[in-house]
Amino acid sequence: MRFVITILTLALATAVQAQTKPTAKPAAKPAAKPAPKPVAAAPKPLLRNGLDSLSYAIGVNIGTNMKLQGIDNINYVALNKGMADAIKGNQPLMDENTCNMTIQQKLQEYMSKKNGTQKEEGRKFLENNKKQPGVVELPSGIQYKIITQGSGVKPSLEDTIKVHYKGTTLDGNIFDDSYSRGEPIEFPLNGLIEGWKQTLVLMPAGSKWQLFIPSDYAYGERGAGANIPGGATLIFELELLDVKPAKK
């Protein structure tokens, strides 16, 4: 009897232990992958024919010129309206004189804003540069430094000069270089920028100078092409090889 009770006690304890034993938690389900985004339909070609190509090319041409003038924003609706009126012969909203005056005034405002940074950089550069050894500043603010002093004749404004030169902007960008072309160039001195005129009449032939020219005596507010921005101070390495006197 005591044996039977012992067996029942063990069985009961085993059953209770089995009921109280913690059960393992189910494994977490992997996160569902996001559904792939639908592929957008390819836009229809903009340039479907010759007229489309011409229209786009004109737009690129106009936009490029605007950007060079400092225009970085425009009302495209008004632009298209003006072009359409001109092409179709509609009565314009502004007469020709008003159009020209508006363009001139606004371009001056845009150029002044765009060139302000360039001119300030040039001013700071020249202010520091004139303190460097060997740098001479003229009353106009043009500066030069003698690298080699020749002993030949000094040109007058009416003479033709033969020179080698290299021109750079303050950031070191070379915009013209006769040395790389391997051939000097002849110019009538009177047809050159004011910065060259004021310095070359002081240079004896055989000299090599470095010129530092403020924008007002170089290419001014408009600059020159894509490589000389408006308001840019320029640096020239200039070698006067020969002077050809004007015929009298």
Side-chain angles (χ1 to χ4, degrees), residues 80 85 137 145 196 221 229 231:
N80 290 334
D85 285 346
E137 185 174 71
K145 181 178 181 179
W196 276 37
E221 297 289 340

Side-chain angles (χ1 to χ4, degrees), residues 72-91:
D72 55 8
N73 194 16
I74 200 164
N75 184 329
Y76 298 103
V77 174
L79 174 67
N80 290 334
K81 169 65 173 170
M83 292 174 54
D85 285 346
I87 292 173
K88 295 179 180 179
N90 297 336
Q91 180 66 34

Side-chain angles (χ1 to χ4, degrees), residues 154-157 189 196-204 209:
K154 296 178 182 179
S156 66
L157 291 177
L189 180 52
W196 276 37
K197 292 178 186 179
Q198 290 193 25
T199 49
L200 275 162
V201 294
L202 306 174
M203 288 180 67
W209 289 10

Side-chain angles (χ1 to χ4, degrees), residues 46-47 49-65 83:
L46 176 65
L47 309 180
N49 52 49
L51 181 60
D52 292 348
S53 298
L54 173 63
S55 303
Y56 184 78
I58 291 174
V60 169
N61 185 274
I62 294 174
T64 300
N65 284 307
M83 292 174 54

